[in-house]
Amino acid sequence: MTVLGYSTQRVWLHWLSAAVIVWTLISGFYVASVDVSPRLAQWVAFLNVSLTTVFIPFFVWRLFIFVSHARHVSVRAFSFMEKLALFAHTLIYLVISIVLATGVLMMDRPIDVFGLVEIAQPLNDPELISRFFIIHVWACVVLSLLIVLHVGAVVVHELCGHRVLRRMSLCSLVRSERFE
């Protein structure tokens, strides 16, 4: 089977996204559901707000690449499973967009980015901020489920001999399949 690889840029953006998203989801849900010290909760909140704020431009670039690539493929020629995969990836991008947008809009204080930059909070209405917080939490739950499905699909592909992880390797030699 001939497998097309991903560009180095797409691979790096994927793994950067995975690291930021998985860290912020796990640490955010942990702090929200486990009794932790206020200092730890504050540190996680600060780190997560800083990380995701810096991540937004990278995600926008990744989304642009995804949309540009999707525009150049003929979906009609796709099998049902390929259409399902495209739908799942599109849904992941949509939910990440919602998580990031609501994460900004739910801020009830200025956005402090690693103590280097401070961005004014976009909204001042506590009721509106509260609504965006609720949407943010539910979007994070949905994103967590989508990530579990995504990882599950990767495992199934690998077990069936479709080398998805090889195509997403950070090592270009592995990605190009020169080792076969």
Side-chain angles (χ1 to χ4, degrees):
M1 176 173 105
T2 302
V3 176
L4 298 175
Y6 292 103
S7 69
T8 301
Q9 183 179 56
R10 286 180 74 184
V11 170
W12 279 98
L13 286 170
H14 173 271
W15 290 113
L16 172 68
S17 300
V20 170
I21 292 166
V22 169
W23 163 261
T24 55
L25 286 172
I26 290 173
S27 63
F29 281 129
Y30 180 81
V31 166
S33 60
V34 175
D35 189 25
V36 298
S37 70
R39 185 175 175 175
L40 178 61
Q42 250 181 343
W43 180 81
V44 168
F46 170 76
L47 180 62
N48 287 359
V49 167
S50 295
L51 272 177
T52 54
T53 302
V54 170
F55 172 67
I56 288 171
F58 291 97
F59 176 73
V60 169
W61 181 244
R62 185 165 184 223
L63 184 60
F64 173 77
I65 292 170
F66 175 75
V67 170
S68 296
H69 179 17
R71 286 183 38 211
H72 295 17
V73 295
S74 175
V75 177
R76 285 185 217 145
F78 280 11
S79 69
F80 173 75
M81 292 306 287
E82 289 169 326
K83 288 177 184 174
L84 186 60
L86 178 60
F87 174 74
H89 284 93
T90 302
L91 193 56
I92 290 170
Y93 281 106
L94 174 65
V95 175
I96 292 170
S97 298
I98 293 168
V99 167
L100 291 172
T102 58
V104 170
L105 295 172
M106 73 176 208
M107 293 301 293
D108 59 357
R109 62 190 176 282
I111 300 167
D112 181 357
V113 184
F114 294 114
L116 302 171
V117 176
E118 188 172 280
I119 302 167
Q121 74 183 72
L123 302 173
N124 290 315
D125 180 357
E127 187 176 323
L128 197 53
I129 291 170
S130 177
R131 287 183 186 170
F132 280 115
F133 175 78
I134 292 166
I135 295 168
H136 180 76
V137 169
W138 282 106
C140 287
V141 169
V142 170
L143 181 57
S144 298
L145 295 173
L146 289 170
I147 289 171
V148 167
L149 289 173
H150 184 66
V151 170
V154 169
V155 170
V156 168
H157 280 291
E158 287 291 327
L159 291 174
C160 292
H162 304 126
R163 305 307 307 262
V164 178
L165 289 176
R166 176 172 284 175
R167 292 173 56 203
M168 293 304 295
S169 172
L170 293 171
C171 176
S172 60
L173 287 175
V174 173
R175 242 186 0 265
S176 67
E177 300 188 28
R178 291 184 187 158
F179 289 125
E180 285 189 6

